Amino acid sequence: MDEARLRSLTPSVIGVLVRRGADFAAAEDAVQEALVEAVRLWATEAPRDPKGWLVTVAWRKFLDAARSEASRRRREELVEDQPALGPGASVDDTLQLYFLCAHPSLTPSSAVALTLRAVGGLTTRQIAQAYLVPEATMAQRISRAKRTVSDVRFDQPGDVATVVRVLYLVFNEGYSGDVDLAAEAIRLARQLAAAIDHEEVAGLLALMLLHHARRPARTRADGSLVPLAEQDRSLWDTRLIAEGVEILQSALARDRVGEFQAQAAIAALHADARTAEETDWVQIVEWYDELVRLTDSPVVRLNRAVAVGEADGPRAGLAALAAVDPTVPRHAAVAAHLHERDGDVATAARLYAEAARQAPNLAERDHLNRQAARLNSDRRG
């Protein structure tokens, strides 16, 4: 059984049920039950029409649930009046499901969870494991999200920017548990790009591919982080890089630059350099200037300070950093890097230790502590 293929059918099956009259929450529940049945029954042999099988089973489970409620009579009347719509109908509801799951009324965490469940076809348990929370907690989060969007019309136009941002959040979760969320986000972004011709969707997909291409070089065998400048670039996936660059160039040719295209352009410049020393930092600063114009994000300004430090020297980088709010995450780590490059080892060691205490995960904390220990050892030596 091809699990990826099974998950890819989820949005269209939910769409068929919704168009037959099921509300979104009930349709999604029924499809999840059908997926569980499929995993159990398709282990030896899948049906010739997997989508038709899923629609039939999911619709039956929806009707079973509907008949057990007070609305049984209304549901049965709906079934009697249902116009013919075969399970293999060509209507593609995937895009509408993206918009529904990324509805502005949802919190980012709820939108991500609902997208992974309804569009990605992941189980509640898989999502909970990926986010390292109890299954009951994730079930409550998903239930609240479904209730929030229960009154949203399925055919209402959605906000592409919100959908793109939700997928970017999924991608940034990376890998944990038995679900590779970075790979899942790429799969969903490919699906979205096939359903909608939009330059920022293309920019997001390019950005994901370019970042994912560097993944094999990001950590050592012991799990410790490898900074970009120290990575073995022979480990980078050149196929993904080439694909990402091609998609990005096509998007940029439309001359409607957005945030994710600009981020992808920066990633492409890093990927284009054969060594860290050959990186075109001047052009990277120019793209960060464009990102500042587009977003005015303090995180972007922080990353720009790093690029300025590489392009124009650490003193210039520190001057750029002075304009960034010191409470921005990783501010101390950037300051430590720039002070070290400027020769102020004592300040850099202190800031690395401070950054380690603020680190969002164990791998980053250990890396920063090692940096502080290295500088303190050099000073004593």
Side-chain angles (χ1 to χ4, degrees):
M1 179 188 63
D2 186 344
E3 227 177 285
R5 167 64 175 157
L6 186 63
R7 292 206 305 269
S8 71
L9 292 171
T10 300
S12 58
V13 177
I14 293 176
V16 171
L17 267 63
V18 170
R19 292 188 183 281
R20 286 185 174 187
D23 64 84
F24 170 76
E28 199 277 330
D29 286 340
V31 171
Q32 285 294 324
E33 290 186 40
L35 290 172
V36 171
E37 288 287 303
V39 170
R40 183 173 63 85
L41 298 175
W42 296 8
T44 54
E45 184 179 359
R48 280 184 293 180
D49 181 8
K51 179 181 175 183
W53 188 97
L54 286 171
V55 168
T56 300
V57 174
W59 184 245
R60 187 187 309 128
K61 290 188 178 293
F62 163 70
L63 291 179
D64 288 345
R67 289 191 183 103
S68 68
E69 299 173 354
S71 60
R72 174 175 59 84
R73 186 179 300 277
R74 181 171 60 84
R75 295 293 191 188
E76 289 179 345
E77 290 173 353
L78 177 66
V79 173
E80 292 172 2
D81 295 338
Q82 171 64 38
L85 178 60
S90 60
V91 177
D92 185 3
D93 297 302
T94 300
L95 187 57
Q96 292 301 332
L97 278 178
Y98 272 106
F99 288 137
L100 187 65
C101 294
H103 196 268
S105 61
L106 294 172
T107 64
S109 60
S110 295
V112 166
L114 194 57
T115 298
L116 288 172
R117 165 103 179 205
V119 185
L122 300 181
T123 65
T124 302
R125 175 174 294 180
Q126 286 175 314
I127 301 170
Q129 288 176 341
Y131 281 90
L132 305 177
V133 300
E135 185 175 353
T137 300
M138 185 55 69
Q140 291 175 350
R141 185 180 300 174
I142 293 172
S143 294
R144 285 196 299 269
K146 288 194 290 187
R147 285 197 300 272
T148 300
V149 300
S150 61
D151 294 329
V152 178
R153 285 191 8 241
F154 192 66
D155 58 351
Q156 284 181 326
D159 178 17
V160 175
T162 303
V163 176
V164 167
R165 194 158 300 283
V166 167
L167 285 183
Y168 187 53
L169 289 173
V170 175
F171 180 79
N172 281 337
E173 289 298 328
Y175 174 83
S176 58
D178 64 351
V179 179
D180 186 337
L181 289 180
E184 181 65 15
I186 290 174
R187 184 182 75 83
L188 294 176
R190 288 189 189 279
Q191 197 177 63
L192 182 61
I196 184 171
D197 183 21
H198 192 284
E199 59 277 357
E200 273 294 81
V201 174
L204 173 67
L205 179 56
L207 175 64
M208 288 179 175
L209 293 172
L210 289 163
H211 277 318
H212 205 56
R214 302 202 301 261
R215 177 170 168 173
R218 283 202 185 101
T219 55
R220 299 181 179 87
D222 62 1
S224 60
L225 295 180
V226 182
L228 177 60
E230 300 173 20
Q231 288 177 13
D232 179 355
R233 300 188 177 213
S234 69
L235 297 176
W236 291 1
D237 189 327
T238 55
R239 181 186 59 82
L240 287 182
I241 290 173
E243 183 185 2
V245 168
E246 182 180 358
I247 292 170
L248 173 62
Q249 288 175 339
S250 178
L252 290 175
R254 302 183 187 190
D255 200 24
R256 291 195 295 269
V257 177
E259 173 186 354
F260 290 100
Q261 293 169 78
Q263 287 192 52
I266 292 169
L269 286 166
H270 283 297
D272 187 54
R274 290 177 300 176
T275 65
E277 292 73 25
E278 294 178 63
T279 304
D280 189 344
W281 287 106
V282 172
Q283 196 173 165
I284 287 176
V285 171
E286 291 174 358
W287 275 111
Y288 271 121
D289 289 340
E290 181 70 12
L291 263 177
V292 169
R293 184 186 67 80
L294 289 167
T295 68
D296 196 28
S297 162
V299 174
V300 170
R301 291 183 181 276
L302 182 73
N303 291 331
R304 179 184 177 276
V306 176
V308 169
E310 297 293 339
D312 301 325
R315 295 282 174 92
L318 287 167
L321 184 64
V324 180
D325 185 344
T327 64
V328 173
R330 297 185 173 88
H331 186 284
V334 170
H337 169 73
L338 292 170
H339 276 291
E340 180 183 359
R341 289 204 54 223
D342 194 39
D344 188 349
V345 176
T347 299
R350 176 179 58 78
L351 287 169
Y352 275 130
E354 178 184 331
R357 292 191 292 272
Q358 301 168 355
N361 57 66
L362 183 61
E364 190 170 333
R365 187 188 72 189
D366 288 347
H367 170 72
L368 292 166
N369 275 327
R370 279 195 298 272
Q371 296 294 87
R374 172 179 57 81
L375 292 185
N376 284 325
S377 177
D378 290 345
R379 289 170 60 206
R380 286 193 297 269

